[in-house]
Structures are given as C-alpha cells and as structure tokens.
Coordinates of all heavy atoms in Angstrom, one line a residue:
M75 N 0.9 -1.2 0.0 CA 0.0 0.0 0.0 C 0.9 1.2 0.0 O 2.0 1.2 0.6 CB -0.9 0.0 1.2 CG -1.9 -1.2 1.3 SD -2.6 -1.5 2.9 CE -1.2 -2.3 3.7
I76 N 0.5 2.3 -0.7 CA 1.2 3.5 -0.8 C 0.3 4.6 -0.3 O -0.9 4.7 -0.8 CB 1.7 3.8 -2.2 CG1 2.6 2.7 -2.7 CG2 2.4 5.2 -2.2 CD1 2.8 2.8 -4.2
G77 N 0.7 5.5 0.6 CA -0.1 6.6 1.0 C 0.7 7.6 1.8 O 1.9 7.6 1.7
K78 N 0.0 8.2 2.7 CA 0.8 9.1 3.7 C 0.1 9.0 5.0 O -1.1 8.8 5.1 CB 0.8 10.5 3.2 CG -0.5 11.3 3.1 CD -0.3 12.7 2.6 CE -1.7 13.4 2.6 NZ -1.6 14.7 2.1
G79 N 0.9 9.1 6.1 CA 0.4 9.1 7.4 C 0.4 7.7 8.1 O 0.5 6.7 7.4
P80 N 0.3 7.7 9.4 CA 0.3 6.4 10.1 C -0.9 5.6 9.9 O -1.9 6.1 9.3 CB 0.4 6.9 11.6 CG -0.1 8.3 11.6 CD 0.2 8.9 10.2
R81 N -0.8 4.3 10.3 CA -1.9 3.3 10.1 C -2.4 2.8 11.4 O -1.7 2.9 12.4 CB -1.4 2.1 9.2 CG -0.8 2.5 7.9 CD -1.6 3.3 7.0 NE -2.9 2.8 6.6 CZ -3.2 2.0 5.6 NH1 -2.2 1.7 4.7 NH2 -4.4 1.6 5.3
S82 N -3.6 2.3 11.4 CA -4.2 1.7 12.6 C -3.5 0.4 13.0 O -2.8 -0.2 12.2 CB -5.7 1.4 12.4 OG -5.8 0.3 11.5
E83 N -3.7 0.0 14.3 CA -3.1 -1.2 14.8 C -3.6 -2.4 13.9 O -2.9 -3.3 13.6 CB -3.4 -1.4 16.3 CG -2.8 -2.7 16.9 CD -1.3 -2.7 16.8 OE1 -0.6 -1.7 16.9 OE2 -0.8 -3.9 16.6
A84 N -4.9 -2.4 13.5 CA -5.4 -3.5 12.7 C -4.7 -3.6 11.4 O -4.5 -4.7 10.9 CB -6.9 -3.3 12.5
V85 N -4.4 -2.5 10.8 CA -3.7 -2.5 9.5 C -2.3 -3.0 9.7 O -1.7 -3.8 9.0 CB -3.7 -1.1 8.8 CG1 -2.8 -1.1 7.6 CG2 -5.1 -0.8 8.4
M86 N -1.6 -2.5 10.8 CA -0.2 -3.0 11.1 C -0.2 -4.5 11.3 O 0.7 -5.2 10.8 CB 0.4 -2.2 12.2 CG 0.6 -0.8 11.9 SD 1.5 0.2 13.1 CE 0.3 0.3 14.4
Q87 N -1.2 -5.0 12.0 CA -1.3 -6.5 12.2 C -1.5 -7.2 10.9 O -0.9 -8.3 10.7 CB -2.4 -6.8 13.2 CG -2.1 -6.4 14.6 CD -3.3 -6.7 15.5 OE1 -4.3 -7.3 15.2 NE2 -3.2 -6.2 16.8
A88 N -2.3 -6.7 10.0 CA -2.6 -7.3 8.7 C -1.3 -7.3 7.9 O -1.0 -8.3 7.2 CB -3.7 -6.6 8.0
I89 N -0.5 -6.2 7.9 CA 0.7 -6.1 7.2 C 1.7 -7.2 7.7 O 2.2 -8.0 6.9 CB 1.4 -4.7 7.3 CG1 0.6 -3.7 6.6 CG2 2.8 -4.8 6.8 CD1 0.9 -2.3 6.8
R90 N 1.8 -7.4 9.0 CA 2.7 -8.4 9.6 C 2.2 -9.8 9.2 O 2.9 -10.7 8.8 CB 2.8 -8.2 11.1 CG 3.7 -7.1 11.5 CD 4.0 -7.1 13.0 NE 2.9 -7.0 13.8 CZ 2.3 -5.9 14.2 NH1 2.8 -4.7 13.9 NH2 1.2 -5.9 15.0
R91 N 0.9 -10.0 9.4 CA 0.3 -11.3 9.2 C 0.5 -11.8 7.8 O 0.6 -13.0 7.5 CB -1.2 -11.2 9.6 CG -2.0 -12.5 9.5 CD -3.4 -12.3 10.0 NE -4.2 -11.3 9.4 CZ -4.7 -10.2 9.9 NH1 -4.4 -9.9 11.2 NH2 -5.4 -9.3 9.3
N92 N 0.4 -10.9 6.9 CA 0.5 -11.2 5.4 C 1.8 -10.9 4.8 O 1.9 -10.9 3.6 CB -0.7 -10.5 4.7 CG -2.0 -11.0 5.2 OD1 -2.4 -12.1 4.9 ND2 -2.7 -10.2 6.0
H93 N 2.8 -10.5 5.6 CA 4.2 -10.2 5.1 C 4.1 -9.1 4.0 O 4.7 -9.3 3.0 CB 4.8 -11.5 4.6 CG 4.8 -12.6 5.6 ND1 5.5 -12.6 6.8 CD2 4.0 -13.7 5.7 CE1 5.2 -13.7 7.5 NE2 4.3 -14.4 6.8
G94 N 3.4 -8.1 4.3 CA 3.3 -7.0 3.3 C 4.1 -5.8 3.7 O 5.1 -5.9 4.5
V95 N 3.8 -4.7 3.1 CA 4.6 -3.4 3.3 C 3.7 -2.2 3.0 O 2.8 -2.3 2.2 CB 5.9 -3.4 2.4 CG1 5.5 -3.4 0.9 CG2 6.8 -2.3 2.8
Y96 N 4.0 -1.2 3.8 CA 3.3 0.1 3.6 C 4.4 1.1 3.3 O 5.3 1.3 4.0 CB 2.5 0.5 4.8 CG 2.0 1.9 4.8 CD1 1.1 2.4 3.8 CD2 2.3 2.8 5.9 CE1 0.6 3.7 3.8 CE2 1.8 4.1 5.9 CZ 1.0 4.5 4.9 OH 0.5 5.8 4.9
F97 N 4.2 1.7 2.1 CA 5.1 2.8 1.6 C 4.5 4.1 1.8 O 3.3 4.3 1.7 CB 5.4 2.6 0.1 CG 6.0 1.3 -0.3 CD1 5.2 0.3 -0.9 CD2 7.4 1.1 -0.1 CE1 5.8 -0.8 -1.3 CE2 7.9 -0.1 -0.5 CZ 7.2 -1.1 -1.1
A98 N 5.4 5.1 2.2 CA 5.0 6.5 2.3 C 5.4 7.2 1.0 O 6.6 7.1 0.6 CB 5.6 7.1 3.5
A99 N 4.5 8.0 0.4 CA 4.8 8.8 -0.7 C 4.8 10.3 -0.1 O 4.1 10.5 0.8 CB 3.8 8.7 -1.8
T100 N 5.6 11.1 -0.8 CA 5.7 12.5 -0.3 C 4.4 13.3 -0.6 O 4.1 13.5 -1.8 CB 6.9 13.2 -0.9 OG1 8.1 12.4 -0.5 CG2 7.1 14.6 -0.3

C-alpha cells in the first residue's frame, strides 16, 4: 500500500500477518 500518514493497529497487524509493506509517498 502507498499513502501518507500512520496506520491503525489493525492494518499493522494485517501487514505483519500477510508479510506486506506500507510505503509512504511524499
């Protein structure tokens, strides 16, 4: 996922659970 700003705990858990990544764009 690409966006800006922090994410919720549920999203962070989903990222870890699914071995994903969240990118920040300027």
Side-chain angles (χ1 to χ4, degrees):
M75 296 162 280
I76 303 169
K78 66 179 182 181
R81 305 306 301 270
S82 70
E83 183 59 34
V85 174
M86 290 187 291
Q87 288 175 8
I89 290 169
R90 284 190 301 271
R91 180 173 62 246
N92 295 289
H93 310 288
V95 63
Y96 169 56
F97 299 104
T100 303

